[in-house]
Amino acid sequence: MLESKIPAGNLESKWTDYKGHCKLVNPANKRKLEVIVVGTGLAGASAAATLGELGYKVKAFCFQDSPRRAHSIAAQGGINAAKNYQNDGDSVFRLFYDTVKGGDYRAREANVHRLAEVSANIIDQCVAQGVPFAREYGGLLSNRSFGGTQVQRTFYAAGQTGQQLLIGAYQALERQVALGNVKMYNRHEMLEVVTIDGKAVGIIARDLISGKLQRHFGNAVLLCTGGYGNVFYLSTNAMGSNVTAAWKAHKAGALFANPCFTQIHPTCIPVSGDHQSKLTLMSESLRNDGRIWVPKNQGDNRKPNEIPESERDYYLERRYPAFGNLVPRDVASRAAKERCDAGFGVGTSKQAVYLDYASAIERYGKIEITKHGREVEDASSAEIITLGKQVVKEKYGNLFDMYEKITGENPYEVPMRIYPAVHYTMGGLWVDYELMTSVKGMYCLGEANFSDHGANRLGASALMQGLADGYFVIPYTIGNYLADEIYSKPISTDHEAFVNAEKEVGDRIRTLMNIKGNTSVETFHKRLGKIMWDKCGMARNEKGLQEAIVEIQQLRKEFWNDVRIPGDIDEFNPELDKAGRVADFLELGELMCKDALLRKESCGGHFREESQTEEGEALRNDAEFMYVAAWEFEGESNWKLHKEALEYEVIKPTQRNYK
């Protein structure tokens, strides 16, 4: 059933050979074909803009009031590309290797190598669009480091890279809208995939302003709807981020792959109380210059600036000397949890560690003194610190401002307090090499698919994958499918399949509204999130996962008997929208726990307490679990497992070592 369609031949030539032999659609025929793009973040906006530019008739849907509201805007630190501008040993192979190793050898080699190949093109594309990447003094684009690498390959625009890249893609999209090649549907949510004989032919969407359901035909459907981290309730995701579109596709026949692979980001502002509805990410780019530490003494309640160097434990530098503070996210997250669980945490909750910029400020200040032709010894400490702060402000200023606004503390003067939080999901709809799901004619791009990151995503790779899929992969692979669709006549939305799909959506909405219970949607979401975080979060064990499955099943029954949704169906009703999304999370959460329970190994962000080394590191089991777990929906609480074996032809899987 799982046909990955990976081209034959050497790894380095697979993508080139594919492009040279795939089917093409001539320009006149492209104008006859309709493509639906659901989601307009980086993957969706770039795909819609590119397909519109090629001549296809594109319909693009987003539930926000504008594509510029997509969660891609929140990515701060940068985007990877194998340009080797620093002449520090980077290459396409090095980026490919770092990504496969960072994913703990649970990614598909061919997809990752293609991602590394097209990475350099992304930067050129974005520069041409006017994305204001940071530049060196001589005008060349600047790079910085991210976790899991020993080279500087991350391009950035201060601490707002995602925002600037999204604006570039948005401009390309809006140009196609103005030309009439793309029709934009803002404030529309996809609630069902329409299939005929196992082939996707359209969607049912709900106008979130009027509440009306709509039928839309498409020769192909592209899902670019992001990740499902909000299943944990508290995460770095935007509050609207959800799994609904992908989940409806899953229930319509698309396999869901590796759902338990969740990324925990180590650099987030700690939870401050039950009142919070989301968490704030402090970019991984801060780990370039910031040093992470805790006091050497348990329960040390002194202010951080009162603790001398000799009494500080820079635990990442101690445990992982080769990579130091730039170990991958899963490694850094578990190390922070270990220190806090051992009683070395800081802050009022003791669930935090310090991210300190004092040494970076001093280092940059001394460089500035020498740049002015002076001896460092002749400068005062105050002058060095003042100059150093100016450099740090230029590189990370908006991140520091954000931290101060949220916490009331000045990170230029005192260390930030950080703690891991749910960030990205490596699992998603299963796709083949062409990014097509197991439903013919339905594709999945960006974070919504599973394909490129294995069990852990390296920092600055999310933006890279979204734009690679949209700008450089789907334009070729979709043509290979649509070349045969030119012989098919458009299907009327009066077709029985559309009528039945719309009725199914309407019945589901009316069932929700008619429950008229006593408990808010938010309450159910919070309760689900607590189960997921406690028992399927940063560390999992068999007993906890078994308990979580039962608890989620009980919570889901309670939801369908007691949820309270105010308002009406045929109006703007955010609570109704949220109820549908939480209903899907309640089903997804169970599958995540079942997937985590089955995978009796530790890999990347999936850490089973029963499977660890003597030093507490993740211990893989390649003999039994070297596969993609792709789940087929067969009914409530019932899934069938399909396995795609992972075969490594170029890289030899080894136990990850960042020491």
Side-chain angles (χ1 to χ4, degrees):
M1 184 175 181
L2 290 178
E3 185 183 351
S4 59
K5 297 182 185 175
I6 297 172
N10 294 328
L11 187 65
E12 297 82 1
S13 61
K14 287 182 188 294
W15 180 232
T16 300
D17 290 347
Y18 177 91
K19 290 188 293 181
H21 294 89
C22 65
K23 298 175 185 176
L24 300 177
V25 182
N26 80 47
N29 284 330
K30 283 177 181 149
R31 292 192 289 271
K32 302 174 185 176
L33 296 168
E34 297 185 54
V35 178
I36 290 173
V37 178
V38 183
T40 51
L42 282 181
S46 59
T50 305
L51 295 177
E53 181 81 33
L54 287 172
Y56 294 106
K57 292 190 290 184
V58 179
K59 292 180 179 179
F61 295 80
C62 71
F63 65 73
Q64 300 94 340
D65 57 358
S66 165
R68 287 184 60 176
R69 299 275 190 187
H71 185 60
S72 302
I73 205 168
Q76 300 160 336
I79 176 171
N80 288 330
K83 285 282 198 182
N84 196 30
Y85 280 173
Q86 306 293 326
N87 198 28
D88 57 358
D90 200 13
S91 64
V92 167
F93 181 85
R94 182 73 64 180
L95 174 53
F96 158 68
Y97 174 80
D98 287 345
T99 305
V100 173
K101 177 184 176 183
D104 219 350
Y105 307 96
R106 292 294 177 264
R108 195 189 280 153
E109 263 193 344
N111 287 64
V112 178
H113 197 278
R114 176 176 65 189
L115 178 66
E117 285 180 68
V118 304
S119 65
N121 297 338
I122 297 170
I123 302 304
D124 297 338
Q125 171 88 4
C126 294
V127 169
Q129 289 175 339
V131 173
F133 286 120
R135 293 180 181 268
E136 302 286 5
Y137 177 77
L140 292 176
L141 298 185
S142 181
N143 290 118
R144 56 189 177 201
S145 296
F146 259 64
T149 71
Q150 290 180 306
V151 298
Q152 291 181 276
R153 65 161 67 98
T154 304
F155 295 78
Y156 63 98
Q160 50 182 261
T161 314
Q163 178 177 352
Q164 297 302 329
L165 290 171
L166 186 62
I167 289 172
Y170 170 74
Q171 290 175 152
L173 172 61
E174 286 301 303
R175 178 173 179 271
Q176 295 306 313
V177 171
L179 292 172
N181 298 326
V182 176
K183 184 171 175 57
M184 192 68 225
Y185 291 86
N186 299 337
R187 288 291 191 187
H188 282 68
E189 183 170 24
M190 187 206 101
L191 294 180
E192 195 65 75
V193 178
V194 182
T195 61
I196 298 177
D197 297 329
K199 184 168 78 171
V201 295
I203 66 170
I204 304 298
R206 182 169 180 267
D207 182 333
L208 298 181
I209 302 298
S210 68
K212 304 297 183 186
L213 297 179
Q214 301 174 353
R215 309 169 193 172
H216 295 276
F217 164 77
N219 295 96
V221 176
L222 276 58
L223 300 182
C224 314
T225 51
Y228 49 87
N230 274 350
V231 69
F232 291 89
Y233 186 71
L234 283 179
S235 78
T236 65
N237 287 230
M239 286 301 294
S241 298
N242 63 82
V243 76
T244 289
W247 197 249
K248 299 310 183 194
H250 172 53
K251 296 180 80 170
L255 302 183
F256 209 103
N258 297 335
C260 78
F261 285 171
T262 306
Q263 177 159 83
I264 312 294
H265 198 296
T267 319
C268 301
I269 297 178
V271 176
S272 60
D274 291 338
H275 62 281
Q276 278 185 276
S277 57
K278 81 175 295 293
L279 297 173
T280 302
L281 171 71
M282 299 308 297
S283 170
E284 182 176 319
S285 62
L286 293 173
R287 289 200 277 146
N288 265 279
D289 292 310
R291 300 179 71 193
I292 295 172
W293 62 276
V294 293
K296 285 185 176 180
N297 300 316
Q298 292 177 328
D300 193 330
N301 292 319
R302 287 177 292 176
K303 294 179 180 178
N305 291 343
E306 296 174 355
I307 300 176
E309 277 292 305
S310 61
E311 296 179 34
R312 298 181 180 188
D313 177 17
Y314 295 94
Y315 59 89
L316 290 178
E317 298 171 32
R318 169 174 56 81
R319 290 179 60 175
Y320 309 102
F323 283 73
N325 295 296
L326 286 172
V327 291
R329 292 174 178 178
D330 61 313
V331 178
S333 294
R334 282 195 296 274
K337 181 180 187 296
E338 185 275 328
R339 287 291 80 192
C340 291
D341 290 350
F344 297 93
V346 301
T348 54
S349 68
K350 300 300 181 185
Q351 293 294 301
V353 298
Y354 288 127
L355 176 63
D356 197 334
Y357 258 73
S359 59
I361 288 171
E362 182 179 352
R363 184 177 76 253
Y364 282 126
K366 290 178 178 178
I367 292 172
E368 289 300 298
I369 292 293
T370 59
K371 281 166 63 176
H372 290 89
R374 298 170 53 196
E375 295 292 333
V376 173
E377 292 76 13
D378 296 335
S380 67
S381 176
E383 185 180 8
I384 290 172
I385 291 173
T386 298
L387 291 172
K389 285 179 180 177
Q390 290 174 2
V391 175
V392 169
K393 185 172 185 178
E394 185 177 329
K395 291 168 74 79
Y396 309 105
N398 62 316
L399 300 172
F400 278 55
D401 292 344
M402 183 170 67
Y403 182 88
E404 185 169 9
K405 285 180 181 178
I406 292 171
T407 66
E409 298 175 357
N410 183 350
Y412 294 101
E413 304 293 338
V414 296
M416 297 181 191
R417 285 173 291 109
I418 58 169
Y419 193 71
V422 171
H423 180 54
Y424 187 94
T425 48
M426 285 77 65
L429 293 182
W430 181 90
V431 292
D432 61 22
Y433 187 75
E434 298 183 318
L435 303 185
M436 189 187 289
T437 68
S438 49
V439 175
K440 194 174 181 181
M442 183 164 64
Y443 294 80
C444 190
L445 284 64
E447 187 179 357
N449 75 32
F450 89 98
S451 68
D452 292 2
H453 307 299
N456 173 56
R457 177 175 69 77
L458 289 183
S461 289
L463 304 179
M464 175 174 63
Q465 188 208 345
L467 292 179
D469 286 355
Y471 281 138
F472 299 108
V473 177
I474 201 66
Y476 288 95
T477 62
I478 199 171
N480 204 41
Y481 170 72
L482 291 178
D484 294 328
E485 283 294 295
I486 60 174
Y487 305 104
S488 304
K489 292 182 179 179
I491 296 170
S492 169
T493 54
D494 292 328
H495 188 283
E496 183 183 12
F498 281 92
V499 175
N500 291 341
E502 182 181 336
K503 182 180 183 301
E504 188 175 325
V505 173
D507 290 347
R508 190 165 62 232
I509 292 173
R510 283 187 289 275
T511 300
L512 270 173
M513 287 298 297
N514 289 333
I515 295 171
K516 300 189 185 304
N518 300 306
T519 307
S520 69
V521 177
E522 192 80 353
T523 298
F524 283 108
H525 196 181
K526 276 188 176 182
R527 288 170 60 188
L528 172 64
K530 180 167 176 49
I531 295 170
M532 294 298 297
W533 178 249
D534 288 347
K535 296 177 178 178
C536 193
M538 230 188 308
R540 301 105 183 250
N541 60 58
E542 185 166 355
K543 179 174 179 290
L545 289 167
Q546 289 172 338
E547 291 172 350
I549 291 168
V550 174
E551 290 171 18
I552 292 170
Q553 290 172 344
Q554 292 172 342
L555 184 64
R556 188 167 66 244
K557 289 178 183 176
E558 190 178 335
F559 173 89
W560 284 100
N561 284 299
D562 194 43
V563 71
R564 182 183 74 246
I565 306 171
D568 294 316
I569 293 174
D570 296 327
E571 65 178 10
F572 177 65
N573 190 344
E575 281 299 297
L576 175 57
D577 306 336
K578 186 161 60 175
R581 296 164 190 167
V582 172
D584 293 330
F585 279 142
L586 284 163
E587 296 181 359
L588 167 68
E590 181 181 352
L591 178 59
M592 291 174 68
C593 292
K594 287 188 173 182
D595 186 45
L597 181 62
L598 180 74
R599 191 170 283 275
K600 296 180 180 180
E601 65 164 352
S602 293
C603 56
H606 169 67
F607 188 77
R608 282 290 292 266
E609 292 174 352
E610 303 93 333
S611 184
Q612 55 183 302
T613 66
E614 292 180 0
E615 297 174 320
E617 304 292 347
L619 183 61
R620 288 197 327 271
N621 181 350
D622 290 345
E624 294 184 55
F625 296 100
M626 185 77 85
Y627 63 76
V628 176
W631 297 89
E632 179 184 0
F633 181 77
E634 293 192 324
E636 183 176 338
S637 296
N638 187 16
W639 287 271
K640 179 180 179 181
L641 175 63
H642 301 270
K643 298 178 182 180
E644 179 196 342
L646 291 169
E647 299 176 3
Y648 292 95
E649 301 173 10
V650 175
I651 294 180
K652 181 181 178 182
T654 57
Q655 192 66 30
R656 280 196 305 169
N657 184 355
Y658 293 96
K659 296 182 178 183

